[in-house]
Amino acid sequence: MSVMGDHDAENVLWAAIGIALAALVGIALYSYIGALVSAIFIYYAVRPIYRRIEAYIEHPNVAVALTLLVLVVPLLLVVGYAGFLLLNEVDRLLSGGVLSALRPYVQPYLEYARQGEIQQIRDALTGQGGLQGATAGAALRDLATRFAGVVGVLLGLLTRTVLMLIFLFYLLRDGHKLRNWFVEAVDRDDRIVSFVVGVDDDLETVFFNNLAFIVFTAIQASIIYFGFNLIAPTRAVVGTPVLLGALIGIGTLIPVVGMKIVYLPYAVYLGALAVTTATPVWHPVAFLAVSAVIVDTIPDIVIRPYLSGRNTLHIGLVMLGYFLGALTFGWWGLFFGPIVVVAAVHFGEDVFPWLASEYLQR
């Protein structure tokens, strides 16, 4: 009896240590749960690509690097293109008179700097140099605060992006090792292994199909908008077809509204231009018609059912997972919701009947 008691106490001790370690890891990951869930989504979406590359190269690190390049390079091109357009817009605004409007506030400080009167600059910025100095100092302090906030947001985004890439790298390279470890840890229990393998396979199918639809939508939208611009008799209708096409592809992830969250506001923007400038009125009408019929409806009728037909899960459940996940958990719930749905479906199919029969037989 003493031996059994000691054995039970040892089990409880190790269980407590395991729970404490799991809690610490969970606390550390919770602040970056978005990066982790995003990495899991991308891992399952690109795992078929990684396996094809690894089959030819037979070097995991190189295969992961090439897979990330296939994923990251197009993304960087889109982001760089968007940044280039943003810089051009900022340059246009500044050259339109914004800097000249700031000249009355900046000029006194330039004069103080030429004369070497540093104390005068300090007094003006702290509000001790008169009304104009106080106003300019407050404006500069407000600008510095806003700039610091923007830098903080950008650094936070960069940190999460790097962390997501680290998660993704090791999931791709060592995911099979994690799976083999788990199978051995549960002593190859058929029911547990079947549940885990089913969830793993369905997550790959669902997320890879989503990625394929995003890429297809982005490419075909960009080509259609380029062609639309070529046949337009006067000026280009879509100023940034590649960027708009990429955003429309990403917009397909959003439940219910989908890509409409991108092209409807752009149609409104074109309508505002038609009202306030010399832009032809047919621009927003034709753009909306092309986007709604050719870019949105036809692929949704032809391509999405083909990809959905490869799923073993009901497409309605998957869409519900996206929708409820985003509503419940925020932006990262968009990826976490389908994971919960897939796990719940396999639990209901593989585990619940066994549990129910075990309980009823007692």
Side-chain angles (χ1 to χ4, degrees):
M1 188 72 179
S2 175
V3 174
M4 290 297 296
D6 292 342
H7 183 69
D8 291 341
E10 183 180 3
N11 288 343
V12 171
L13 176 61
W14 282 116
I17 294 174
I19 293 172
L21 291 174
L24 291 174
V25 172
I27 292 172
L29 292 177
Y30 181 75
S31 300
Y32 300 97
I33 186 67
L36 176 61
V37 175
S38 300
I40 293 173
F41 166 76
I42 300 174
Y43 162 69
Y44 280 110
V46 303
R47 191 169 67 177
I49 301 173
Y50 165 73
R51 286 176 173 172
R52 287 179 177 271
I53 295 175
E54 188 188 22
Y56 286 101
I57 296 178
E58 297 182 355
H59 196 291
N61 288 341
V62 178
V64 172
L66 290 176
T67 305
L68 292 180
L69 285 177
V70 171
L71 171 72
V72 173
V73 169
L75 179 62
L76 290 178
L77 290 176
V78 171
V79 172
Y81 185 50
F84 174 75
L85 295 176
L86 179 62
L87 289 176
N88 283 344
E89 187 67 17
V90 170
D91 181 67
R92 185 183 66 81
L93 291 175
L94 292 180
S95 62
V98 176
L99 288 179
S100 60
L102 294 176
R103 189 179 301 278
Y105 295 104
V106 177
Q107 190 64 37
Y109 301 100
L110 295 177
E111 293 295 333
Y112 290 144
R114 291 192 189 99
Q115 299 171 9
E117 298 178 358
I118 305 302
Q119 185 60 39
Q120 294 289 343
I121 298 176
R122 186 181 296 111
D123 292 342
L125 289 176
T126 56
Q128 301 176 10
L131 181 60
Q132 183 181 3
T135 304
L140 289 175
R141 286 194 296 272
D142 181 66
L143 181 62
T145 301
R146 292 173 182 271
F147 179 75
V150 171
V151 170
V153 171
L154 292 178
L155 287 177
L157 181 61
L158 179 62
T159 300
R160 283 164 171 77
T161 302
V162 171
L163 190 60
M164 183 268 292
L165 290 175
I166 292 173
F167 286 143
L168 179 58
F169 179 89
Y170 287 106
L171 281 173
L172 286 172
R173 196 190 70 173
D174 301 323
H176 66 285
K177 295 180 181 179
L178 181 63
R179 179 170 170 169
N180 293 338
W181 165 82
F182 182 81
V183 170
E184 295 295 333
V186 299
D187 199 21
R188 299 184 178 273
D189 183 276
D190 291 338
R191 187 171 289 105
I192 298 177
V193 172
S194 175
F195 172 77
V196 172
V197 170
V199 171
D200 185 64
D201 291 341
D202 275 346
L203 286 177
E204 178 179 305
T205 302
V206 170
F207 288 154
F208 178 76
N209 289 348
N210 284 339
L211 178 64
F213 190 71
I214 289 171
V215 173
F216 171 81
T217 303
I219 293 175
Q220 64 100 17
S222 301
I223 294 174
I224 289 171
Y225 290 143
F226 263 122
F228 190 33
N229 287 342
L230 290 177
I231 64 176
T234 54
R235 67 181 72 177
V237 179
V238 181
T240 56
V242 174
L243 179 60
L244 188 64
L247 293 176
I248 282 178
I250 296 172
T252 58
L253 276 175
I254 301 175
V256 182
V257 295
M259 65 180 72
K260 296 178 183 64
I261 199 172
V262 178
Y263 72 75
L264 286 180
Y266 197 83
V268 172
Y269 165 73
L270 291 178
L273 288 181
V275 173
T276 58
T277 66
T279 301
V281 178
W282 66 266
H283 276 200
V285 178
F287 170 81
L288 185 59
V290 169
S291 299
V293 177
I294 302 178
V295 177
D296 191 355
T297 304
I298 293 179
D300 203 51
I301 294 175
V302 177
I303 303 299
R304 190 185 288 274
Y306 167 74
L307 294 176
S308 300
R310 300 172 60 193
N311 293 342
T312 58
L313 299 176
H314 192 282
I315 186 61
L317 285 176
V318 177
M319 295 304 297
L320 194 63
Y322 280 114
F323 187 65
L324 292 180
L327 289 178
T328 305
F329 302 106
W331 70 268
W332 58 269
L334 192 65
F335 309 128
F336 186 65
I339 297 176
V340 175
V341 167
V342 171
V345 168
H346 278 279
F347 183 87
E349 291 180 348
D350 303 333
V351 180
F352 179 76
W354 168 74
L355 286 177
S357 63
E358 288 286 320
Y359 176 78
L360 292 175
Q361 288 174 5
R362 291 181 181 180

